[in-house]
Amino acid sequence: ADRDWRAPAREAGWRVDAAFERRVHRSLTRHVLVVRRTGDRRDDTGGTDALGDRQAPPGPTR
């Protein structure tokens, strides 16, 4: 996004799990939010993507 949308996201019923800022150029900064619907019971063992298809849980790291 072009600005910090944490407060509006929370007001709309989303939980903000993480927020990042990436400076692009001089006064241009991009804001990235990781949000989850409030009350969403899914955990980190797998969720659904934007189309509602199940995602595989994360695999082991080596």
Side-chain angles (χ1 to χ4, degrees), residues 4-41:
D4 189 351
W5 287 95
R6 281 181 276 199
R10 287 184 186 113
E11 291 169 8
W14 293 90
R15 184 178 84 201
V16 179
D17 287 342
F20 306 93
E21 290 183 5
R22 296 288 183 234
R23 186 169 183 264
V24 178
H25 181 318
R26 289 183 160 184
S27 64
L28 178 59
T29 301
R30 294 292 183 210
H31 299 264
V32 179
L33 298 180
V34 178
V35 297
R36 187 182 309 231
R37 287 180 293 214
T38 302
D40 193 344
R41 293 183 182 182

Side-chain angles (χ1 to χ4, degrees), residues 56-61:
T61 58

